[in-house]
Amino acid sequence: MTTTATTLKGQPLDKQVLDSMLRRRLFYTPSFEIYGGVSGLYDYGPPGCALQANIVDLWRKHFILEEDMLEVDCTVLTPHEVLKTSGHVDKFADWMCKDSKSGEIFRADHFVEEILEQRLNGNKEARGHKVDEAAKDDPKKKKKKLKGKGQEAVLLEDAVVQEYEETLAQIDNYNGEQLGELIKKFDLRNPATGIQPEPPVAFNLMFGTQIGPSGGLQGYMRPETAQGQFLNFSKLLEFNMQSMPFASASIGKSYRNEISPRAGLLRVREFLLAEIEHFVDPEGGKKHHRFHEVENIELVLLDRDTQLSGKTTPRTLTIGAAVRDRVVDNETLGYFLARIHLFLEKIGVDQTKIRFRQHMANEMAHYATDCWDAELFTSAGWVECVGCADRSAYDLTVHAKKTGAPLIVRQRLETPKVIEEWTVDIDKKKFGPRFKKDAKVVETALLALSQDKLEALSKDLKANGTVTLDVAGVADGKAEVSSDLVAIEFTKRTENVREFTPNVIEPSFGIGRILYSLLEHNYWSRGADGGDEARGVISFVPAVAPTKVLIVPISSKDEFKPIVRGLSQKLRALGVASRVDDSTASIGKRYSRNDELGTPFGVTIDFQTVSDGSVTLRERDSTVQVRASEDKILEAIQALTKGTKTWKDIQAELPVFESQETEIPVR
Amino acid sequence: MTTTATTLKGQPLDKQVLDSMLRRRLFYTPSFEIYGGVSGLYDYGPPGCALQANIVDLWRKHFILEEDMLEVDCTVLTPHEVLKTSGHVDKFADWMCKDSKSGEIFRADHFVEEILEQRLNGNKEARGHKVDEAAKDDPKKKKKKLKGKGQEAVLLEDAVVQEYEETLAQIDNYNGEQLGELIKKFDLRNPATGIQPEPPVAFNLMFGTQIGPSGGLQGYMRPETAQGQFLNFSKLLEFNMQSMPFASASIGKSYRNEISPRAGLLRVREFLLAEIEHFVDPEGGKKHHRFHEVENIELVLLDRDTQLSGKTTPRTLTIGAAVRDRVVDNETLGYFLARIHLFLEKIGVDQTKIRFRQHMANEMAHYATDCWDAELFTSAGWVECVGCADRSAYDLTVHAKKTGAPLIVRQRLETPKVIEEWTVDIDKKKFGPRFKKDAKVVETALLALSQDKLEALSKDLKANGTVTLDVAGVADGKAEVSSDLVAIEFTKRTENVREFTPNVIEPSFGIGRILYSLLEHNYWSRGADGGDEARGVISFVPAVAPTKVLIVPISSKDEFKPIVRGLSQKLRALGVASRVDDSTASIGKRYSRNDELGTPFGVTIDFQTVSDGSVTLRERDSTVQVRASEDKILEAIQALTKGTKTWKDIQAELPVFESQETEIPVR
């Protein structure tokens, strides 16, 4: 298991160098930077935007198209009542604490985490260990942003070190009160002011707004795309011709008003979510009919019990074994964990930097009964990129209860079900006039009685012709019911239809976090090991690369222009994204720029092209070039971008071309 | 020119029937319907979502890829200061007026429009004309939702009719005060209460929110995607290697808190915008290097002057002629109008239902110097679906001024420019100590002087050794400047670089409005002319159809299953979206359902398939079927969906298959 952030080639990752390159190449940039920026908001420039679109496109193919999911596009604006019912108004909050002296506001769990880590590092230093800032293997990302003196070389007792480490291993499991106790117990102080912050208070993470001109309707920007899918459940079931199980899916922006976002693309206030709501019958063990296709896939799993014991060492299991041993609760949950793994693999995530971590009880969202996160290892530690929660029947149940809408499945029973039970039969014509305004209350009380109680009442009623019930809400708390009004009998009936509220398994993808992790995993530095100046390369797989082919004319002479234009058009017709660089920079510079952009292939048009129509094709990672006719090269590009051939295949087929990348002068 | 909404086949369009079909088939549905809904908010179900994705995909290819535009993805959340500078905080408003009795709130222009139209209809009725509700040919969509007695058959004088019609022709040109005057002048009353509403007041259309935990940062949900593109201008220019002209583009949700949205998908509070910002040198007449490719395209144009004369009759011109005659201001604007037209044609908009209407002066957004809307004719009249505005240098200028960021282009001059002018040279070492705290103010005043004034001062200074300036902000409003501090000379210098702020041409697409208009334009009713029950069909072109192929097994027997699965997989590999309908409904019912969904092709798997591997291919509009081997049919589908062959070609190639669509029983 990795413990230090590294590049694709195992070099230590210099995050500053990478970030500066990503911003220079406009993968992303702080929003409103000329106005000083707003923390937690970022814009994607052309390469970031294309990378995001390619990840989303692959996601859509891997999940939605592969399994005929029903994609929907619901609104971000959501009225208060919906999010009140779903529990978000009351419970979708983080704990924040305030420094009463400076007015600074901290997210309480991050504050505790940071100070404890400073102390642990100070202890290591005091013991003469070299402290590697990047060498973090803890469940959550680091910020290292508290201003003030921070880490000092202070020796800690072994028992204290152990206590701190155990606290950190379950940092996500504390509620506000417990975080407040930790602050007091460990005397955690804001380095900037030297005082303990005030006790944590809940801060709701939703952005509020008013809908309509009179300001009467309180609304929020949705914190997840899920609610729109739940509210449309009955319509989707109908669209799916009443067939179960099925999944809906949605890709869209969601919003969380983070208390103090300071981790670049990893903690933002506006982000793209891709969510699946898989609706499944809660009976029958939540089997999945395609589970056999994935059961041999190995996953790295860090379960709840391991974390609660203060450890962070995961184990590797096939998903088949994990479900069999009940490490993972059921097949459907297991199926999606494996599918998530395959998706991350497909887009080029480093396989040694993925793990699945189970949520602890207090850490889970209010709607979840179980949850596993796919975490990717980055310079900020392990980062939650995909959540896979079992929301049980929570959401459909609360919305149905609130609105009266039947968010249920009606299923014809193959063998009808015979039900024998004590039932109450009320003669409403007489019952109403007798009890007048109390009629409803008495009726409700009668219908709520248990089977045992009904059996007893039936006997009494037959014996005495009348019984007295305890009914809260009527005059003296009693109601006398006689046998001319009510019959209580043991009856038998047959049910042909079963009604149930489906359970929901929800894989939820934070596209921005995946995108950033992918950048770190695919980045490396060319020439860093030799004597040359290091040059950045991002080795995207072709499918996600923002641009697949760079077209480089060696000269800006007029005779090159129609060739460049023709090649562009042919690539466009093949559906291959290309860009022309006809600037006056050297060929080497132009390729370097595109190595930083992660462009996998380059075609050079040189003087030989003008005479014989041949062009060269360069592969980014090896910088090897081959030369052939334009048609052959186009064929090779198509095979490479579709993934039907590898670069090794092409090298075996076409003659290698020798050139001196950096020295060819232009103009 | 069309005056009545019709279907694709020229039948009168029954909007109620269409809407009910679109909602039944889940193209769209009111958001939060089980909670009673929120006006102006809609969700797209699976077919609507796919239709939207296909329109966006074609848009991206037609504009972004075709012209190497720089796509960006900026945040919806926008801080106050940005939108204050852009003018949206002060000016992005509609006029609303309130009924003081009922508290009802109206959008003032819609209120005036609706009452006047009711009176005009009442007049027609009084004169014995039949009033066709759908027969509207006015510039804006109708709502017909004012509650109360409404239209009455009351005769109007001819002069009054003319005045009303002229008012309606320029209804978009009135400001709040003028709308208030119209309400008084024509005595327009709310039918529900019989009173005139209060004078119109401005209502800002942006949704506000607070960013961050302390509530200190006022923000808004963006009303357009443009601002993010402007703020990143310098970075985009750098990314484009300083090359001009270029365009950025963005596809994203935008938000407008409409006063009283009541027109389905045509007036919503949350919508998908696709916007292009084309940055162009303001000098040289805004030529476009690809204008010759479009100059012969004919457009239907309704210019400003025609509307101000109270008319709504457009004229048809080639865009070449329109630019030559200055009906359209310049080539770049003209180029984009033609490209917009081609895009609308490509996705299947009815060519007889497009016109381009120029904005009148008061109607234009605060940032625009000229604007043409592409309007599509629907059951709600002419609907603005694409705006194409010349924003001049407005946005870049205001943001540069506010932030000091140089949102400009620096261009090396081929022939250096010689500048001769009076300049001020200040000896700062002496100037500062002399004026102390006033130094900055006096310096600014000196540098702000006109050339004439400088020439005069130079003479005075030489003659007297000192001059007295009027300087607001210093002690007595005067400052004495002597020749030891300042020299004013006539100088000559050479500039090699020209600096300019680009102008912006902005085509802006309301995807939801285009999508709804497309539904109306492609809808028709099969069998409506004959004796059969009418059945809805949407004749989407294959490129935008949500699903391209329906797979229909004629029986649910096990032997059909592997064939269905295999065919699905093959279509998926070809990138063709398909769906299986293996329900127990009759073949005819299943095809009818998919005609309503606009699925262009259907493949039936029957008993012959099991024996000889052949399948049938059905075309939606003609319902004609051909029969061939699976491979041949797959080839045909690929050609049809790519647009390389038409159905006529396929019919000529493959043998027609006769069947009785509706009568084949299943199971």
Side-chain angles (χ1 to χ4, degrees):
Chain A
M1 183 57 50
T2 313
T3 57
T4 309
T6 53
T7 71
L8 183 64
K9 306 287 181 184
Q11 305 149 330
L13 182 87
D14 189 331
K15 187 170 156 58
Q16 252 89 49
V17 170
L18 172 61
D19 276 351
S20 123
M21 185 189 98
L22 293 175
R23 288 170 64 161
R24 189 172 69 247
R25 290 300 172 218
L26 219 44
F27 275 91
Y28 69 92
T29 185
S31 305
F32 321 109
E33 197 171 23
I34 66 173
Y35 280 85
V38 175
S39 51
L41 297 180
Y42 292 88
D43 295 341
Y44 289 138
C49 198
L51 177 60
Q52 177 182 259
N54 293 340
I55 292 172
V56 166
D57 185 53
L58 287 173
W59 190 89
R60 198 175 253 129
K61 285 182 182 140
H62 185 84
F63 291 104
I64 296 183
L65 294 184
E66 181 63 32
E67 312 200 15
D68 281 337
M69 293 176 178
L70 304 182
E71 188 176 349
V72 297
D73 185 7
C74 304
T75 60
V76 167
L77 285 168
T78 308
H80 174 85
E81 215 184 344
V82 169
L83 291 161
K84 177 74 184 172
T85 305
S86 71
H88 287 85
V89 169
D90 296 325
K91 295 176 195 156
F92 193 70
D94 275 345
W95 298 101
M96 72 174 179
C97 52
K98 190 174 168 180
D99 183 311
S100 61
K101 196 165 158 191
S102 67
E104 268 180 287
I105 289 171
F106 309 108
R107 209 178 113 169
D109 55 342
H110 290 175
F111 178 81
V112 170
E113 203 177 5
E114 204 161 324
I115 305 285
L116 290 184
E117 275 165 8
Q118 284 182 359
R119 291 188 185 171
L120 287 173
N121 280 334
N123 173 57
K124 279 188 197 158
E125 219 172 293
R127 287 170 194 268
H129 291 274
K130 194 170 166 353
V131 178
D132 185 344
E133 275 302 306
K136 297 269 146 50
D137 183 23
D138 35 47
K140 284 282 154 176
K141 40 253 139 271
K142 296 293 97 41
K143 269 122 272 101
K144 290 279 150 282
K145 287 290 165 56
L146 286 183
K147 286 169 209 136
K149 50 189 180 170
Q151 179 178 322
E152 275 175 36
V154 175
L155 211 64
L156 301 175
E157 283 173 35
D158 287 353
V160 173
V161 168
Q162 197 188 333
E163 194 175 10
Y164 285 3
E165 280 171 351
E166 283 171 7
T167 302
L168 287 172
Q170 48 185 311
I171 187 72
D172 294 320
N173 199 33
Y174 298 110
N175 63 26
E177 201 180 326
Q178 292 167 324
L179 289 166
E181 282 163 12
L182 291 173
I183 290 171
K184 282 200 187 131
K185 177 177 171 193
F186 297 138
D187 189 24
L188 307 180
R189 291 160 184 269
N190 180 7
T193 58
I195 66 166
Q196 279 184 18
E198 293 171 357
V201 294
F203 171 67
N204 193 291
L205 297 178
M206 292 194 295
F207 288 99
T209 193
Q210 301 291 323
I211 303 173
S214 52
L217 187 59
Q218 171 68 34
Y220 303 95
M221 299 171 79
R222 68 177 174 202
E224 55 170 17
T225 70
Q227 296 305 320
Q229 299 181 60
F230 298 138
L231 298 186
N232 284 313
F233 172 74
S234 297
K235 295 172 191 171
L236 291 167
L237 179 64
E238 167 69 24
F239 186 85
N240 206 45
M241 296 179 275
Q242 308 296 336
S243 174
M244 282 284 293
F246 76 95
S248 61
S250 192
I251 304 165
K253 288 276 185 81
S254 298
Y255 296 82
R256 297 183 188 179
N257 197 3
E258 295 287 346
I259 291 172
S260 179
R262 293 179 296 195
L265 293 189
L266 294 177
R267 185 166 299 279
V268 292
R269 287 171 165 155
E270 173 169 339
F271 50 96
L272 192 64
L273 263 190
E275 292 189 309
I276 294 164
E277 311 299 332
H278 179 89
F279 299 98
V280 59
D281 190 335
E283 286 186 13
K286 302 186 188 176
K287 297 275 178 203
H288 195 287
H289 75 290
R290 292 179 72 172
F291 187 70
H292 65 278
E293 296 177 26
V294 300
E295 63 185 351
N296 293 321
I297 291 170
E298 285 197 335
L299 302 183
V300 175
L301 301 169
L302 176 58
D303 64 39
R304 183 180 295 155
D305 296 340
T306 305
Q307 294 166 76
L308 287 175
S309 73
K311 303 263 174 13
T312 56
T313 316
R315 48 185 165 158
T316 302
L317 282 176
T318 65
I319 191 66
V323 170
R324 199 169 48 241
D325 300 351
R326 297 302 299 263
V327 177
V328 169
D329 182 68
N330 60 69
E331 278 192 5
T332 299
L333 192 55
Y335 176 75
F336 279 110
L337 293 186
R339 291 285 298 160
I340 291 165
H341 184 91
L342 290 174
F343 172 72
L344 294 172
E345 192 172 22
K346 186 180 280 179
I347 63 173
V349 161
D350 187 332
Q351 294 302 293
T352 66
K353 297 175 182 171
I354 307 180
R355 75 176 183 191
F356 288 85
R357 188 178 70 81
Q358 190 175 26
H359 278 206
M360 292 165 281
N362 277 339
E363 179 185 3
M364 273 192 289
H366 60 273
Y367 46 71
T369 56
D370 194 6
C371 185
W372 287 82
D373 285 342
E375 298 186 331
L376 302 182
F377 190 74
T378 72
S379 58
W382 285 101
V383 176
E384 167 199 345
C385 289
V386 187
C388 193
D390 184 339
R391 294 177 81 133
S392 67
Y394 176 81
D395 302 271
L396 294 180
T397 306
V398 294
H399 288 304
K401 197 172 158 200
K402 178 72 187 175
T403 63
L407 302 178
I408 50 167
V409 176
R410 284 196 181 82
Q411 215 165 47
R412 188 150 202 92
L413 290 169
E414 305 243 335
T415 30
K417 201 167 153 188
V418 176
I419 296 166
E420 292 182 297
E421 61 182 5
W422 290 94
T423 53
V424 179
D425 187 22
I426 294 173
D427 184 339
K428 296 239 171 160
K429 273 191 192 153
K430 293 182 186 164
F431 194 86
R434 176 80 58 91
F435 289 105
K436 302 200 176 71
K437 68 176 174 47
D438 291 336
K440 191 75 206 160
V441 186
V442 177
E443 183 183 343
T444 307
L446 262 171
L447 296 176
L449 292 170
S450 70
Q451 286 287 310
D452 287 351
K453 188 82 187 162
L454 284 176
E455 186 173 359
L457 280 184
S458 171
K459 279 183 195 154
D460 286 358
L461 202 57
K462 272 177 196 144
N464 310 325
T466 179
V467 290
T468 305
L469 288 177
D470 293 335
V471 182
V474 302
D476 56 356
K478 304 267 178 203
E480 199 179 314
V481 177
S482 55
S483 56
D484 61 324
L485 302 178
V486 169
I488 301 176
E489 303 289 348
F490 193 68
T491 60
K492 180 174 172 176
R493 68 199 156 83
T494 306
E495 275 190 358
N496 295 302
V497 173
R498 175 182 155 233
E499 287 189 350
F500 66 91
T501 303
N503 277 18
V504 173
I505 306 290
E506 177 193 75
S508 170
F509 296 71
I511 299 295
R513 288 183 173 188
I514 294 173
L515 181 147
Y516 179 77
S517 305
L518 194 62
L519 286 166
E520 278 203 4
H521 288 195
N522 285 278
Y523 167 75
W524 57 289
S525 188
R526 199 193 313 273
D529 308 321
D532 295 349
E533 194 197 343
R535 284 168 292 145
V537 184
I538 309 185
S539 289
F540 290 126
V541 297
V544 303
T547 303
K548 317 299 182 200
V549 180
L550 174 74
I551 302 173
V552 193
I554 209 165
S555 146
S556 60
K557 286 197 172 160
D558 279 349
E559 56 198 305
F560 284 75
K561 285 183 180 149
I563 306 178
V564 169
R565 204 156 45 233
L567 191 59
S568 282
Q569 276 163 3
K570 283 172 203 162
L571 285 169
R572 198 179 299 140
L574 293 175
V576 175
S578 71
R579 282 199 92 82
V580 175
D581 185 351
D582 55 4
S583 71
T584 57
S586 73
I587 295 278
K589 277 236 172 83
R590 285 188 264 173
Y591 274 134
S592 281
R593 179 173 187 272
N594 279 274
D595 288 347
E596 292 190 345
L597 287 165
T599 309
F601 307 108
V603 172
T604 310
I605 291 160
D606 55 20
F607 293 98
Q608 198 182 327
T609 311
V610 181
S611 64
D612 71 3
S614 70
V615 295
T616 75
L617 177 66
R618 172 192 187 264
E619 194 267 342
R620 175 196 57 211
D621 298 351
S622 61
T623 74
V624 169
Q625 295 189 51
V626 296
R627 177 155 211 131
S629 70
E630 194 184 275
D631 283 354
K632 281 224 167 115
I633 294 293
L634 283 170
E635 218 173 86
I637 289 172
Q638 223 186 339
L640 287 164
T641 52
K642 274 197 177 170
T644 54
K645 283 184 186 172
T646 65
W647 179 246
K648 216 174 147 192
D649 299 331
I650 300 300
Q651 258 188 287
E653 287 172 16
L654 302 177
V656 168
F657 174 71
E658 304 289 344
S659 87
Q660 306 75 31
E661 263 203 8
T662 48
E663 274 106 317
I664 300 170
V666 208
R667 274 194 183 165
Chain B
M1 183 56 51
T2 314
T3 57
T4 307
T6 53
T7 70
L8 183 66
K9 306 287 181 187
Q11 305 147 330
L13 183 86
D14 189 331
K15 189 171 154 55
Q16 251 90 50
V17 170
L18 172 60
D19 276 351
S20 122
M21 184 188 98
L22 293 175
R23 287 169 64 162
R24 188 173 67 245
R25 290 302 171 216
L26 218 46
F27 275 91
Y28 69 93
T29 185
S31 304
F32 320 109
E33 197 171 23
I34 64 173
Y35 278 86
V38 175
S39 50
L41 296 181
Y42 292 88
D43 296 342
Y44 289 139
C49 198
L51 178 60
Q52 176 181 258
N54 293 340
I55 293 172
V56 166
D57 184 54
L58 286 174
W59 190 90
R60 198 175 253 129
K61 285 183 183 140
H62 185 84
F63 291 104
I64 297 184
L65 294 184
E66 181 63 32
E67 312 200 15
D68 281 337
M69 293 175 178
L70 305 182
E71 188 176 349
V72 296
D73 185 8
C74 304
T75 59
V76 166
L77 285 168
T78 308
H80 174 85
E81 215 184 346
V82 169
L83 292 161
K84 176 75 184 171
T85 305
S86 71
H88 286 84
V89 169
D90 296 325
K91 295 175 196 155
F92 193 70
D94 276 344
W95 298 100
M96 71 173 181
C97 52
K98 191 173 166 179
D99 183 311
S100 61
K101 197 165 156 191
S102 67
E104 268 180 286
I105 290 171
F106 309 107
R107 209 177 113 170
D109 55 341
H110 289 176
F111 178 81
V112 171
E113 204 178 3
E114 202 162 325
I115 305 286
L116 290 185
E117 275 166 7
Q118 283 183 357
R119 292 190 185 169
L120 286 173
N121 280 335
N123 174 56
K124 280 188 195 157
E125 219 173 292
R127 287 171 193 268
H129 291 271
K130 191 170 169 354
V131 177
D132 185 342
E133 275 302 305
K136 297 271 145 54
D137 184 22
D138 35 47
K140 285 283 152 176
K141 41 251 136 280
K142 296 294 96 44
K143 268 123 272 99
K144 290 278 151 284
K145 289 289 166 60
L146 285 184
K147 287 169 207 137
K149 49 189 181 169
Q151 180 179 321
E152 277 175 34
V154 175
L155 211 62
L156 301 176
E157 284 174 34
D158 286 352
V160 172
V161 168
Q162 196 187 335
E163 195 175 10
Y164 284 4
E165 279 171 351
E166 283 171 9
T167 303
L168 287 172
Q170 49 185 309
I171 188 72
D172 294 321
N173 200 33
Y174 298 110
N175 62 27
E177 203 179 325
Q178 292 167 326
L179 289 167
E181 282 162 14
L182 291 173
I183 290 172
K184 281 200 186 131
K185 179 177 169 192
F186 297 139
D187 189 24
L188 307 179
R189 293 162 181 268
N190 179 6
T193 59
I195 66 166
Q196 279 184 19
E198 293 171 356
V201 294
F203 172 67
N204 194 290
L205 296 178
M206 292 193 295
F207 288 98
T209 193
Q210 302 291 321
I211 304 173
S214 52
L217 187 59
Q218 172 68 34
Y220 302 95
M221 298 171 81
R222 68 178 174 202
E224 55 172 15
T225 71
Q227 296 304 321
Q229 300 181 60
F230 298 139
L231 298 186
N232 284 314
F233 172 74
S234 297
K235 294 172 192 171
L236 291 166
L237 179 65
E238 168 69 24
F239 186 85
N240 207 45
M241 296 180 277
Q242 308 297 334
S243 174
M244 283 283 293
F246 76 95
S248 61
S250 192
I251 304 164
K253 288 276 185 81
S254 298
Y255 296 82
R256 297 184 187 178
N257 197 3
E258 295 287 347
I259 291 172
S260 179
R262 293 180 296 195
L265 292 189
L266 294 176
R267 187 166 298 280
V268 291
R269 288 172 164 154
E270 173 169 340
F271 50 97
L272 191 64
L273 263 190
E275 293 190 308
I276 294 164
E277 310 299 331
H278 180 88
F279 298 99
V280 60
D281 190 335
E283 286 186 13
K286 303 186 187 175
K287 297 275 179 203
H288 196 287
H289 76 289
R290 292 178 73 172
F291 186 70
H292 65 277
E293 295 177 25
V294 301
E295 63 186 350
N296 293 322
I297 290 171
E298 285 197 335
L299 302 183
V300 175
L301 301 169
L302 175 59
D303 63 40
R304 181 181 297 156
D305 295 340
T306 305
Q307 295 166 75
L308 287 175
S309 74
K311 302 264 176 6
T312 55
T313 315
R315 48 186 165 156
T316 302
L317 282 176
T318 66
I319 192 65
V323 169
R324 200 169 48 240
D325 301 350
R326 299 302 299 265
V327 178
V328 170
D329 183 68
N330 61 70
E331 277 192 3
T332 298
L333 192 55
Y335 176 76
F336 279 109
L337 294 186
R339 291 283 300 160
I340 290 165
H341 183 92
L342 291 174
F343 171 72
L344 294 173
E345 193 173 20
K346 187 181 279 179
I347 62 172
V349 162
D350 187 331
Q351 294 301 293
T352 66
K353 296 176 182 171
I354 307 181
R355 75 177 183 191
F356 288 85
R357 188 179 70 81
Q358 190 174 27
H359 277 206
M360 292 166 282
N362 279 338
E363 179 185 2
M364 273 191 288
H366 61 272
Y367 46 72
T369 57
D370 194 6
C371 185
W372 287 83
D373 284 342
E375 296 186 332
L376 302 183
F377 190 75
T378 72
S379 57
W382 286 100
V383 175
E384 167 200 346
C385 289
V386 187
C388 193
D390 186 339
R391 294 178 81 134
S392 68
Y394 176 82
D395 302 271
L396 294 180
T397 306
V398 294
H399 288 304
K401 198 172 157 199
K402 178 72 185 176
T403 63
L407 301 178
I408 51 167
V409 176
R410 285 197 180 85
Q411 215 165 46
R412 186 149 203 93
L413 290 168
E414 304 244 334
T415 31
K417 200 167 154 189
V418 177
I419 295 167
E420 292 182 297
E421 61 181 6
W422 290 95
T423 53
V424 180
D425 187 24
I426 295 172
D427 185 340
K428 298 237 170 161
K429 273 192 192 150
K430 293 181 187 164
F431 194 86
R434 176 79 59 90
F435 290 106
K436 302 201 174 68
K437 67 174 178 44
D438 293 335
K440 190 74 207 162
V441 185
V442 178
E443 183 184 340
T444 306
L446 262 170
L447 296 176
L449 292 170
S450 70
Q451 286 287 307
D452 288 350
K453 190 80 187 165
L454 284 176
E455 186 173 358
L457 281 184
S458 171
K459 279 182 195 153
D460 286 359
L461 201 57
K462 270 172 199 146
N464 311 324
T466 179
V467 291
T468 304
L469 288 177
D470 295 334
V471 182
V474 301
D476 55 356
K478 304 268 179 202
E480 200 177 312
V481 177
S482 54
S483 56
D484 61 325
L485 302 178
V486 170
I488 301 176
E489 303 289 347
F490 193 69
T491 59
K492 180 175 171 176
R493 67 197 157 83
T494 307
E495 276 189 356
N496 295 302
V497 173
R498 175 182 155 233
E499 288 188 349
F500 66 90
T501 303
N503 277 17
V504 174
I505 307 290
E506 178 193 75
S508 171
F509 296 71
I511 299 295
R513 288 184 174 188
I514 293 173
L515 180 147
Y516 179 76
S517 305
L518 195 62
L519 286 167
E520 278 203 3
H521 288 196
N522 284 277
Y523 167 74
W524 57 287
S525 187
R526 198 188 320 266
D529 308 322
D532 295 349
E533 193 196 345
R535 283 167 293 145
V537 183
I538 309 185
S539 290
F540 290 125
V541 297
V544 302
T547 302
K548 317 300 181 200
V549 180
L550 174 73
I551 303 173
V552 192
I554 211 165
S555 146
S556 60
K557 284 198 176 162
D558 278 349
E559 55 198 308
F560 285 74
K561 285 182 180 150
I563 306 178
V564 169
R565 204 157 44 232
L567 191 59
S568 282
Q569 276 163 2
K570 283 171 204 161
L571 286 168
R572 198 179 301 139
L574 293 174
V576 175
S578 72
R579 281 199 92 82
V580 175
D581 184 349
D582 54 5
S583 70
T584 56
S586 74
I587 295 278
K589 277 236 172 82
R590 286 188 264 174
Y591 274 134
S592 281
R593 179 172 187 271
N594 278 273
D595 288 347
E596 292 190 345
L597 287 165
T599 309
F601 307 108
V603 172
T604 310
I605 291 161
D606 55 20
F607 293 98
Q608 197 180 330
T609 312
V610 181
S611 64
D612 72 2
S614 70
V615 297
T616 76
L617 177 65
R618 171 193 188 264
E619 194 266 344
R620 173 196 59 210
D621 298 352
S622 62
T623 73
V624 168
Q625 295 190 52
V626 295
R627 179 158 209 128
S629 69
E630 193 183 277
D631 283 353
K632 281 223 168 118
I633 294 293
L634 283 171
E635 219 172 85
I637 288 172
Q638 222 186 342
L640 288 164
T641 53
K642 275 196 176 171
T644 54
K645 282 185 186 169
T646 65
W647 178 247
K648 215 174 149 190
D649 300 330
I650 299 301
Q651 259 189 284
E653 287 172 17
L654 302 177
V656 168
F657 173 73
E658 304 288 346
S659 86
Q660 305 75 31
E661 264 202 7
T662 49
E663 274 107 318
I664 299 171
V666 207
R667 273 192 183 168

